Amino acid sequence: MTDPRRTGVVIATRNRRDRLAVTLRHLTALPERPEILVADNASTDGTRAMLARDFPEVRVLALPVNHGALARNHGARALDTPYVAFSDDDSWWAPGALARAADLFDAHPRLGLIAARTLVGPAAEPDPLNDVLAASPLGPATDLPGTQVLGFLACGAVVRRRAHLDAGGFHRLLFFGGEETLLAYDLAARGWGVTHCPDVVAHHHPAPAARTGRPALQRRNALLTAWLRRPVPYALARTGALAAEARGDEHARRALREALTRLPAALRERRPLPPHVERAARLLEGTSA
């Protein structure tokens, strides 16, 4: 394929109109001129009016309620480009990154997701996750570019649309916060490659203040991911560890309470990883199978 618009961009947003406008100014200036779709999670701050006024060329998927990370799934279904890059409303892609990603997907049919190198803030400092991904003990594969991984930042990920939909996309039970690991597991379980390719570059400009409640959401979702996909003894051990932390940590208490509320649904949707993916997850954690 030689079409420069092989890769579309999906942005999930809610009530961050001004930061979204900055992101869109960067994305609409890209040389690839990608199709851009904003999946708006029922914003009430004038986001949709701003988009209509200032960015009429950007498609808007107006969701009636807040779908969290699942807004990205809705956006990916609405696009018809073979590859989809995810941006948050505070992140964008470097010039040429989307073309490079599309070339990699074209050349490697099993490649399902590219975890980009992410640069943070005005100084373009490397995100610490870059080194973690680059040092993945899963190493390379002969039919994939880069280094195999089972994690990524959603705001620095490009997916093969077919692979994303095949794996089910981001899981509804997690909603938001540390939702990436489960999708990486599900892609790998379906035979798709998940790799870190540092020559695909994303920029992330998060707000100085952390989002309220995020640590609890991430810990809740890590536990739910364990119950959804990992062996029962592993999930039980993670539950016990979080319960011990909850005695002296309010974030852990909230995470445990919310995870237990969702546990019946997680058990109904439980689908343990294939043995080779479970071995890879154990290797990444430095534990024996």
Side-chain angles (χ1 to χ4, degrees):
M1 297 177 67
T2 59
D3 183 355
R5 293 167 60 95
R6 290 168 288 175
T7 306
V9 178
V10 168
I11 307 170
T13 190
R14 176 174 167 81
N15 288 340
R16 302 221 298 174
R17 178 189 61 194
D18 294 340
R19 300 187 74 84
L20 175 62
V22 173
T23 288
L24 288 172
R25 284 195 286 272
H26 284 278
L27 290 174
T28 55
L30 290 176
E32 295 97 327
R33 295 291 187 265
E35 180 176 4
I36 301 169
L37 184 148
V38 173
D40 179 50
N41 274 315
S43 291
T44 58
D45 67 345
T47 287
R48 296 177 191 176
M50 179 276 291
L51 290 168
R53 181 186 67 244
D54 298 339
F55 299 96
E57 72 276 29
V58 170
R59 288 180 61 188
V60 180
L61 184 61
L63 299 172
V65 297
N66 183 5
H67 287 263
L70 269 69
R72 302 187 190 111
N73 297 347
H74 294 302
R77 291 190 192 97
L79 287 179
D80 59 6
T81 54
Y83 315 128
V84 176
F86 295 118
S87 287
D88 285 347
D89 46 28
D90 58 4
S91 71
W92 50 87
W93 293 91
L98 300 184
R100 176 58 180 156
D103 289 343
L104 291 171
F105 282 117
D106 285 353
H108 301 88
R110 191 169 71 85
L111 181 59
L113 183 146
I114 292 171
R117 179 165 59 97
T118 305
L119 304 179
V120 181
E125 295 287 342
D127 190 292
L129 184 62
N130 295 340
D131 288 341
V132 174
L133 296 174
S136 168
L138 302 183
T142 57
D143 62 340
L144 295 171
T147 302
Q148 296 179 97
V149 295
L150 285 177
F152 60 94
L153 289 176
C155 68
V158 190
V159 297
R160 187 183 300 273
R161 180 175 176 273
R162 181 165 63 91
H164 182 80
L165 299 179
D166 177 51
F170 293 98
H171 199 285
R172 64 171 189 83
L173 195 59
L174 304 189
F175 190 73
F176 181 76
E179 67 274 15
E180 295 94 341
T181 298
L182 183 55
L183 177 55
Y185 285 169
D186 288 348
L187 284 163
R190 300 285 291 183
W192 295 104
V194 180
T195 70
H196 173 56
C197 298
D199 50 345
V200 177
V201 177
H203 291 274
H204 187 201
H205 286 234
R211 295 188 187 183
T212 303
R214 190 174 180 88
L217 292 176
Q218 291 174 322
R219 292 159 90 171
R220 178 197 77 188
N221 288 343
L223 183 57
L224 289 171
T225 296
W227 279 107
L228 283 161
R229 298 291 182 264
R230 305 298 297 277
V232 169
Y234 177 94
L236 285 170
R238 291 293 299 264
T239 305
L242 186 60
E245 293 173 19
R247 289 196 288 267
D249 184 314
E250 65 175 285
H251 293 303
R253 283 195 294 275
R254 176 186 168 187
L256 182 64
R257 181 174 64 251
E258 294 187 3
L260 292 177
T261 298
R262 292 164 173 77
L263 185 56
L267 294 176
R268 287 194 298 271
E269 298 184 32
R270 178 173 166 77
R271 191 171 69 245
L273 296 174
H276 72 283
V277 182
E278 175 61 28
R279 286 193 296 271
R282 295 273 181 162
L283 180 61
L284 285 166
E285 294 163 353
T287 60
S288 59

